[in-house]
Amino acid sequence: MASSLWQIPSVPTSLPGLLTFCIILCICKVKSALFTVVGPDQPITAIMGEEIVLPCHLSPSMSAKNMEVRWFRSEFKNYVHLYRDGKDQFARQLSEYERRTAFWKDGITDGNVSLTILNIRPSDEGQYKCLVDDGIIYEEAVIEVKVAALGSNPIISVEDYQNGGILVMCRSAGWYPEPQVLWRNAQRHHIPSLSERKSQKANGLFETKISAVIKEDSNQNLSCCIRNSLLDREKESAIYISAFFFPSMNPWMVALSVILVVLFSFIILTTYLFRIKEKKNAEIENKNAEIGDLQQALEWRRAVACQEDVTLDPDTAHHELILAEDGKSVRQTDTRQDLPDNPERFDLARCVLGHEGFTSGRHWWEVEVGKGASWAVGVARDSVRRKGLISFSPEEGVWAVWCYTGEYMALTAPDPTPLTLDRAPSRVGVCLDCTLGRVSFLDADTEASIFTFPPASFEGGRIRAWFLVWDGEMKFSRRQ
């Protein structure tokens, strides 16, 4: 949906004023036909905890680089994201969207003004307005966002004897929007519930509890089904209660059944505690492994006579990246350079590869990333895709760590891994072991571990240094 507004002065009565009014009216009519802002006609669905792209573009296709692009909800001044004067503005950004929005400028010259929202929450549901202002007129489109979340698998528990049968309870949490809950028997027929309660927690997600009474003569085999109608998906758990446990038995049989239930519960509790212990042991092993990886990475650096003399390959650099003549540094510019669109060059992501490639042995180098900038640094296969949108991860042939507005993460698959660092590194050490298929990252100043990727196979191609420059400048740091 799109709309446009402009100011028209009151109609004057004098002849010169009338002529001026007609000229202004004609200009407004011509300008109003220059472009429209287009968004999706149907609501789009976002998954809780994931990211979503709100599509928006100019029609016909034209550059919006020198225009104002404002994403907002109900209030114009307090925005979700603002692009103006060729850069992002955060002064009056809504607090709930801080560090959660990304306005990719790679397609802005083609009229693509889409917005990415990270870590979706229930409160993100509703309408968003994409407004584009060229300084004379403005156009806007309205995008409707629906948020959905699949909760936990239903847990069915036996509660008590009631009304000549056995009371069972089904519990589940983490759903959005409010889910549908029902009991089914073995024939998939609906079973009336005894009680049902749904509550919305502080995080906006729903928790549900539903109970039913199972009689010996019917419905001994039943399931609890919880459905998210927005996603058209459901989760289901089943239970079967033998006739042995029903209250029609002799008192001593009832007592025995209670003992068995208690014993069964004890076994479950013991198993649960044992799994917790195993999980803790696994966490300790992972920490020890991280320490071992750090020690190994430090040994690599000390074992190798000197760090690699790595340079950047200009044939792979994005059109908005400027390389130093010696190939040791790169910086980002808002001006698109007139460079040949060869197959090796990245066309959307502001990336560049190292000129040197490695197929065996151990190697390390250091990169000055600066403080406060947004960047990504690591290694990539020589065969990594260069064209179109790329989801950087080991599955795409990239092993890297990423910093965006002070937040750090490792670009793992299927989802990035958040990193907690004691300090913001100004120099990052990259350790590559082609033989073991391992990539590690260190704070080059403190030698503190940043992250180590699980072992991978590097056979069948070269491994090269890889930069993604969001803003600022990055360069290789030479130290013996």
Side-chain angles (χ1 to χ4, degrees):
M1 181 173 65
S3 64
S4 65
L5 297 173
W6 58 84
Q7 297 292 330
I8 300 178
S10 60
V11 180
T13 57
S14 64
L15 181 58
L18 184 60
L19 291 175
T20 302
F21 172 79
C22 293
I23 293 173
I24 293 175
L25 182 60
C26 291
I27 292 175
C28 290
K29 288 183 177 180
V30 172
K31 289 293 183 181
S32 66
L34 286 180
F35 69 88
T36 58
V37 180
V38 181
D41 295 329
Q42 301 296 324
I44 57 178
T45 300
I47 305 301
M48 173 82 172
E50 298 183 4
E51 69 179 53
I52 188 173
V53 176
L54 305 184
C56 187
H57 66 275
L58 303 185
S59 179
S61 176
M62 65 179 63
S63 176
K65 186 174 181 180
N66 296 320
M67 301 183 186
E68 175 180 314
V69 181
R70 181 183 296 262
W71 283 89
F72 63 102
R73 302 194 68 176
S74 58
E75 296 184 8
F76 180 84
K77 291 183 178 180
N78 297 324
Y79 47 81
V80 175
H81 196 98
L82 176 63
Y83 171 84
R84 185 170 59 197
D85 299 329
K87 58 183 179 180
D88 298 319
Q89 309 287 338
F90 299 102
R92 299 186 65 120
Q93 185 182 34
L94 291 169
S95 59
E96 59 265 34
Y97 291 97
E98 289 180 359
R99 300 181 180 179
R100 293 181 54 228
T101 60
F103 183 69
W104 291 88
K105 307 177 186 66
D106 295 327
I108 197 169
T109 56
D110 298 321
N112 186 354
V113 291
S114 302
L115 180 71
T116 299
I117 300 179
L118 309 175
N119 190 21
I120 290 296
R121 308 168 181 172
S123 59
D124 295 334
E125 189 172 75
Q127 286 189 347
Y128 292 78
K129 296 181 180 179
C130 173
L131 183 146
V132 181
D133 187 350
D134 68 355
I136 301 176
I137 63 159
Y138 64 84
E139 295 267 348
E140 68 177 32
V142 179
I143 295 93
E144 181 77 18
V145 175
K146 299 288 185 181
V147 176
L150 281 178
S152 60
N153 290 322
I155 298 177
I156 303 176
S157 59
V158 177
E159 299 293 319
D160 199 359
Y161 290 102
Q162 185 171 326
N163 300 331
I166 295 177
L167 176 66
V168 293
M169 182 74 70
C170 176
R171 298 178 175 87
S172 182
W175 295 84
Y176 193 88
E178 183 175 327
Q180 300 172 348
V181 188
L182 55 86
W183 292 100
R184 293 172 177 164
N185 60 18
Q187 290 74 39
R188 311 295 290 175
H189 295 155
H190 173 66
I191 301 173
S193 60
L194 180 65
S195 66
E196 181 176 349
R197 186 177 69 181
K198 298 174 184 175
S199 59
Q200 192 170 18
K201 301 303 179 181
N203 60 2
L205 301 181
F206 286 90
E207 180 182 276
T208 180
K209 295 180 182 179
I210 185 172
S211 64
V213 174
I214 304 175
K215 300 291 182 68
E216 182 179 2
D217 56 348
S218 64
N219 300 333
Q220 291 177 233
N221 193 343
L222 83 165
S223 62
C224 175
C225 175
I226 305 181
R227 179 179 181 80
N228 186 312
S229 57
L230 185 60
L231 295 177
D232 194 23
R233 292 180 61 184
E234 65 184 31
K235 291 189 176 183
E236 186 174 15
S237 296
I239 188 174
Y240 174 80
I241 299 182
S242 171
F244 179 83
F245 294 94
F246 284 87
S248 59
M249 299 178 291
N250 293 329
W252 69 270
M253 294 294 291
V254 175
L256 179 60
S257 66
V258 172
I259 293 174
L260 290 176
V261 170
V262 172
L263 181 60
F264 182 68
S265 300
F266 176 77
I267 294 174
I268 292 178
L269 178 60
T270 303
T271 303
Y272 174 72
L273 294 175
F274 181 74
R275 288 181 178 176
I276 290 179
K277 182 179 179 181
E278 286 185 333
K279 183 179 179 180
K280 291 295 183 182
N281 291 337
E283 291 177 354
I284 293 174
E285 290 179 0
N286 289 336
K287 288 294 183 182
N288 291 335
E290 291 179 3
I291 295 174
D293 292 338
L294 174 59
Q295 292 175 342
Q296 188 178 54
L298 293 175
E299 290 175 358
W300 295 352
R301 289 180 28 165
R302 292 160 184 162
V304 178
C306 62
Q307 66 187 80
E308 297 292 341
D309 187 12
V310 187
T311 57
L312 297 173
D313 185 354
D315 291 336
T316 66
H318 184 269
H319 291 80
E320 295 180 6
L321 296 182
I322 298 179
L323 273 62
E325 292 185 1
D326 60 1
K328 293 294 185 178
S329 65
V330 58
R331 61 182 177 89
Q332 181 266 337
T333 177
D334 291 333
T335 303
R336 186 177 178 87
Q337 302 178 86
D338 186 14
L339 300 174
D341 188 18
N342 52 289
E344 295 83 9
R345 191 178 308 282
F346 290 92
D347 64 346
L348 289 184
R350 292 195 187 99
C351 297
V352 61
L353 292 175
H355 190 274
E356 294 75 17
F358 308 101
T359 58
S360 62
R362 296 172 176 175
H363 312 273
W364 71 276
W365 57 87
E366 296 177 359
V367 181
E368 289 188 15
V369 296
K371 294 185 178 179
S374 297
W375 48 265
V377 63
V379 300
R381 293 187 186 277
D382 189 39
S383 59
V384 67
R385 287 194 302 120
R386 320 291 172 85
K387 308 299 181 182
L389 293 175
I390 307 172
S391 177
F392 297 114
S393 69
E395 293 181 352
E396 288 282 355
V398 175
W399 291 260
V401 290
W402 179 37
C403 170
Y404 178 62
T405 63
E407 299 290 337
Y408 296 88
M409 61 183 64
L411 299 181
T412 54
D415 300 309
T417 301
L419 303 176
T420 302
L421 306 182
D422 294 334
R423 65 187 294 274
S426 59
R427 293 188 304 119
V428 175
V430 182
C431 299
L432 169 65
D433 189 332
C434 296
T435 305
L436 297 179
R438 182 169 295 173
V439 182
S440 297
F441 298 89
L442 308 173
D443 185 327
D445 293 319
T446 64
E447 295 190 340
S449 175
I450 296 177
F451 187 77
T452 297
F453 279 87
S457 175
F458 291 156
E459 295 182 357
R462 298 190 304 163
I463 304 298
R464 304 165 68 175
W466 175 87
F467 288 179
L468 186 150
V469 186
W470 199 305
D471 55 44
E473 180 180 7
M474 300 173 65
K475 59 183 178 180
F476 290 109
S477 174
R478 186 67 179 169
R479 183 177 65 171
Q480 297 293 337

